[in-house]
Amino acid sequence: MTGLQSERTRLAWVRTAAALATIGLGAGGAALRHGAGPVTGAFFLLAALAGAVLLARTGLRFSRVQRALRDGLPLDDTFDAQLAWAGTLTVIAGSLSFLLF
């Protein structure tokens, strides 16, 4: 029997992905308007891309979680977690690039 835990987890992933994409696009646009170089814009673009990929994968991830819970199988979501971390680190790198250069 499955509860609402997987649905809440799905919504948390959606919030994370949407925030990453929004921050990447918003900060990238602001940085470029204020004269930041193309490297800074590339960092923020990569963050937005990571958020978009995570958002696109939420349906697939939710289906796999439901199947794993139903069948009692382990679930490996390391790719999604690594992608979220990579996106977060690119936001940090873009911010540092904007502030230092």
Side-chain angles (χ1 to χ4, degrees), residues 3 12 17-18 22 61 71 91-92 96-97 100:
T22 303
R61 183 184 320 103
D71 299 340
V91 167
I92 292 169
L96 289 174
S97 172
L100 298 176

Side-chain angles (χ1 to χ4, degrees), residues 1 6 9 11-12 16 20 22 25 32-34 37 44-46 52 65-67 69 77 79 83-84 94 97-98:
M1 178 170 182
S6 59
T9 302
L11 292 173
T16 301
L20 196 55
T22 303
L25 289 176
L32 292 176
R33 277 192 307 274
H34 291 305
F44 289 126
L45 179 65
L46 285 173
V65 167
Q66 291 298 323
R67 192 175 323 113
L69 287 173
D77 273 341
F79 176 75
L83 187 59
S97 172
F98 178 68

Side-chain angles (χ1 to χ4, degrees), residues 8-18 54 58 61 80-81 84:
R8 287 194 305 261
T9 302
R10 178 184 185 187
L11 292 173
W13 276 106
V14 167
R15 284 190 305 270
T16 301
L54 281 175
T58 56
R61 183 184 320 103
D80 295 325

Side-chain angles (χ1 to χ4, degrees), residues 61-76:
R61 183 184 320 103
F62 183 71
S63 299
R64 286 190 334 225
V65 167
Q66 291 298 323
R67 192 175 323 113
L69 287 173
R70 184 182 60 240
D71 299 340
L73 301 172
L75 183 65
D76 182 22

